[in-house]
Amino acid sequence: MSRMGSSHAPSSRLLIVDDDPLIRLVACERLTAAGFEVGEAPNGEDGIVAFTDFKPDLILLDVEMPGLDGFGACDAIRSTPLGRHVPILILTGLDDVTSIEQAFDVGATDFVSKPLNWTLLVHRIRYMLRAGESFQEVRSQQIRLDDVQRYARLGSWEIDLASGETWGSDGLRELTGLPGQAELPLARDLLDWIHPRDRTAVADLVLETIREGSVFSIDHRVVAVEGTEYIFHTEGRVHRQTDGKASTLEGFSQDITDRRHAEERIRFLAYSDSLTGLSNRAAFKHRLGSAIQSQRRTQKSLAVLFLDLDHFKRINDTLGHSSGDQLLQHVADQLISCIRGSDCVARNAAENSDVMISRLGGDEFTVLLEGMDDPSEAGGVARRVLDSISRPILLEGHEVLVTASIGIAVWPSDGDDHESLLRNADLAMYHAKERGRANFQYYRESLNAHALERLELEGLLRHAIQEDELVVYYQPKMELASGRVTGCEALVRWTTSERGMIYPDEFIPMAESTGLISALGECVLRKACRQVGAWQAGGLDDFRLAVNLSPRQLRDDRLVATIDDVLRETGFDPRMLELEITETALIHSEEQSLAVLEELRERGIRISLDDFGTGYSSLSYLKRFPVQTLKIDKSFTAGIGTGSEDETITAAILSIARDLNLRVVAEGIENETQLRFLEGRHCDEIQGYLLSPPLPAKEFSRFLIEQGSTGSWVGTRLCREPSSDGN
Ligand code: C2E
Ligand code: MG
Ligand code: MG
């Protein structure tokens, strides 16, 4: 059915549909000669079939044909997906207006009257093909643009400002469910699908831009036809005529609902505490910073309440973490309801305009009170909070009593920026703890001085550890049965040029809280092992060294490795080493403590429970943990001879220890009465000023020699100092 043109033809395909065989013949001749590939069909029906098979780039279509005429064939071809855009040139003998109009109505691209001028017709066809290609190009760009818009959930629109007529892209219609172009509402009615609460803002902005601006951009909500609410970002530009009159407004709208929700979620995660739903530390700091700025303008006062639960760890340790979590949620609820009124249990009440409640982490909460006329209002709030928290609550079937300590810092007197306010509220809270807990304290200047002192001390201690300025003193222990000095306890001493001798009770807790204790402990252990090792090498047999280990050290993952290092380095016999720990160290993370103690025992190191009687004094600890010795705290031995119940307690501890097969060392023995009491109750060893106060290494050597000359062993060679350092 088709005839090929010359071999180098551009091979555009043409289909000629005409019932006149002569015209078909001439057409084939002429068009093939002009380089086209030509197909032919004698009537409308065959024309449609040929169109589908041959897929021409252009159709020449006669109007008058038997059966289906040219109009019918054109209409049928246009209604197929392939035929929608193919150029159709109608060949008509009728040049009356009606048939021309009819041709365009059924979708003809152009028409030409018979008789045909073949030369002109070839040019016309070439022109139509070129135009068709450009049209195709524009169309595919449009498709690409539509795809991009769809992908970006974006739609473009245009409004004729004189008539109010609107045009919207397919993308816009898909986003909003607006009707097709033909039924698109006038500009005024478009406002209807903008959310009622954003409508005025959008209308005002657009009108203002039309009046005197050129571009606008706004985020607003829309209600799609099916009722769903979306968030749109809309940008528009006004086009003006030469006289400055606005003629059209065009722009685009993008659905940013997902992005906005993601942002909100990220914001929520970044700024809130997942356990309680309160805001977190970051949010609190941010808010406090801006509250200070706005308070500067209003000249009102602002307060930060810093709340910390008392003995929260105990709840966690005894009832488990889920109870701990429950308690924290309960505290959050209490804070919200007693600060915002009992009806405000909603979490976001905590973000109300003049109050912000946050959880900083752990059992620490903060309350920010803004716009106060009188700082004493903060005390009133603190009291209400303490009252409501102290009401008993049920946790896993147990009635639990919780209290809290609160510190209050007031702006501007207690600090001018958020950091100092928070720090000072924290310090005031510590002050409340020192004052016996379950109370609140305002930060005062005195407290500031105290904090500064603490900071200064921390710096000095850090320096002292680095510069190896700490010294170890030794206090002897004596076995009552034999009267022999069986060992000593190493006690750290720190002398500063600024403040003289500082006692461990002052700096050990600080070293604990700052983490310096690990370095300090290692330094004491190394010095003591080296020194006592030297004494042992000098002939002091069967002599034990006791070193104190603080709770934080026991939680340090590197503890065992550090001890191994020191033992290797100094060659000290682990079986001669005893570590003194307090019960508190065992209570925090029992499992870990147990594992560490087992490891130490495997090395032959002995464990002694220090200050026994002052903590929980729980017998279960004695059974669970590999402990060999109890040290009765000096607060009990001090009462011996006074007829107080301390004597009863000391006697009871001794009897329990005997039953459990534990050695007992009595601390703080200062007089003969205490000594005799303990001898009578078969206490194993004593330690105290009666025997000797803690002594520097040199004096301790002398003490040993004196003891040796009167006691059962000879210590004349003990004056020798260890090789490297001499304390
Ligand atoms: P501790 O382990 O219970 O040490 C005994 C404390 O009682 C020592 O106080 C000692 O000087 C004092 N003492 C000894 N005999 C008597 C006495 O007859 N009467 C009275 N009233 N007191 C006596 P020190 O040296 O001030 O140490 C206090 C605490 O500091 C120690 O209590 C220990 O818990 C801690 N500590 C000392 N050195 C270190 C150390 O190197 N590392 C660690 N982690 N803690 C240490
Ligand atoms: Mg001790
Ligand atoms: Mg002690």
Side-chain angles (χ1 to χ4, degrees), residues 489 548 580 610 631 667:
E489 177 173 6
N548 291 286
E580 297 192 0
D610 209 349
K631 293 188 81 177
E667 287 186 298

Side-chain angles (χ1 to χ4, degrees), residues 203-245:
D204 287 354
L205 180 67
V206 171
L207 290 176
E208 193 191 312
T209 314
I210 293 173
R211 257 197 320 274
E212 52 203 21
S214 63
V215 289
F216 74 89
S217 125
I218 187 171
D219 290 355
H220 58 89
R221 287 163 293 176
V222 305
V223 185
V225 172
E226 91 286 8
T228 320
E229 202 177 293
Y230 295 97
I231 302 167
F232 272 32
H233 170 76
T234 294
E235 285 191 21
R237 169 184 296 275
V238 179
H239 293 280
R240 296 184 186 279
Q241 297 163 349
T242 37
D243 62 358
K245 194 166 179 285

Side-chain angles (χ1 to χ4, degrees), residues 489 491 548 580-582 609-612 614 631-634 667-668 687:
E489 177 173 6
L491 295 159
N548 291 286
E580 297 192 0
I581 57 176
T582 57
L609 214 50
D610 209 349
D611 304 346
F612 191 76
T614 58
K631 293 188 81 177
I632 306 180
D633 190 63
K634 53 182 174 287
E667 287 186 298
Q687 180 183 344

Side-chain angles (χ1 to χ4, degrees), residues 304 306 405-409 414 421-435 439-444 447-448 451 454:
V304 173
F306 197 113
S405 304
I406 298 180
I408 304 173
D414 297 341
L421 268 183
L422 196 60
R423 190 180 57 233
N424 291 343
D426 187 9
L427 283 171
M429 183 277 290
Y430 272 106
H431 192 50
K433 296 252 182 207
E434 280 165 13
R435 289 277 186 101
N439 72 98
F440 72 87
Q441 294 293 325
Y442 276 93
Y443 173 84
R444 270 172 269 116
L447 211 52
N448 194 16
R454 240 178 31 175

Side-chain angles (χ1 to χ4, degrees), residues 267-336:
R267 225 186 109 73
F268 177 78
L269 290 176
Y271 282 112
S272 71
D273 167 48
S274 58
L275 178 66
T276 61
L278 296 176
S279 37
N280 64 9
R281 180 185 292 269
F284 183 79
K285 279 191 168 172
H286 184 76
R287 172 74 179 270
L288 180 55
S290 47
I292 291 172
Q293 293 306 325
S294 57
Q295 231 67 198
R296 267 189 232 287
R297 290 190 291 276
T298 61
Q299 296 293 312
K300 294 222 173 193
S301 188
L302 166 162
V304 173
L305 273 62
F306 197 113
L307 179 147
D308 186 284
L309 295 179
D310 299 330
H311 304 299
F312 175 65
K313 262 195 112 44
R314 220 183 269 171
I315 304 262
N316 251 349
D317 291 340
T318 49
L319 296 180
H321 283 273
S322 79
S323 292
D325 286 355
Q326 235 174 297
L327 175 61
L328 294 172
Q329 282 160 346
H330 168 79
V331 170
D333 288 341
Q334 294 303 107
L335 280 169
I336 292 169

Side-chain angles (χ1 to χ4, degrees), residues 155-157 166-187 189-194 222-226 230 232 253:
S156 41
W157 45 262
T166 52
W167 170 88
S169 70
D170 287 348
L172 187 72
R173 273 191 289 280
E174 276 171 33
L175 285 183
T176 56
L178 280 171
Q181 182 58 49
E183 306 98 67
L184 211 57
L186 290 178
D189 304 323
L190 272 184
L191 276 179
D192 285 351
W193 53 267
I194 291 179
V222 305
V223 185
V225 172
E226 91 286 8
Y230 295 97
F232 272 32
S253 298

Side-chain angles (χ1 to χ4, degrees), residues 472 475 489-493 503-505 507-508 512 517 520-521 524-525 547-551 553 580 582 610-611 631 633-634 667-670 674 687-690 692-694:
V472 180
Q475 186 176 33
E489 177 173 6
L491 295 159
V492 66
R493 291 293 179 265
Y503 280 89
D505 286 339
F507 65 86
I508 293 286
E512 270 261 309
I517 193 72
L520 182 149
V524 171
L525 182 69
V547 177
N548 291 286
L549 205 64
S550 82
Q553 284 175 277
E580 297 192 0
T582 57
D610 209 349
D611 304 346
K631 293 188 81 177
D633 190 63
K634 53 182 174 287
E667 287 186 298
I669 305 310
E670 297 181 352
Q674 293 167 312
Q687 180 183 344
Y689 297 164
L690 181 66
S692 163

Side-chain angles (χ1 to χ4, degrees), residues 417-489:
D417 55 67
H418 70 274
E419 270 172 25
S420 49
L421 268 183
L422 196 60
R423 190 180 57 233
N424 291 343
D426 187 9
L427 283 171
M429 183 277 290
Y430 272 106
H431 192 50
K433 296 252 182 207
E434 280 165 13
R435 289 277 186 101
R437 301 185 158 87
N439 72 98
F440 72 87
Q441 294 293 325
Y442 276 93
Y443 173 84
R444 270 172 269 116
E445 282 311 312
S446 60
L447 211 52
N448 194 16
H450 176 71
L452 278 177
E453 203 176 303
R454 240 178 31 175
L455 271 178
E456 188 194 65
L457 200 65
E458 186 190 327
L460 286 175
L461 180 61
R462 202 178 291 276
H463 184 261
I465 294 172
Q466 272 162 10
E467 299 300 314
D468 199 21
E469 288 169 6
L470 297 179
V471 171
V472 180
Y473 275 37
Y474 301 88
Q475 186 176 33
K477 292 180 194 175
M478 187 181 79
E479 191 175 60
L480 286 179
S482 62
R484 202 172 70 85
V485 174
T486 45
C488 65
E489 177 173 6

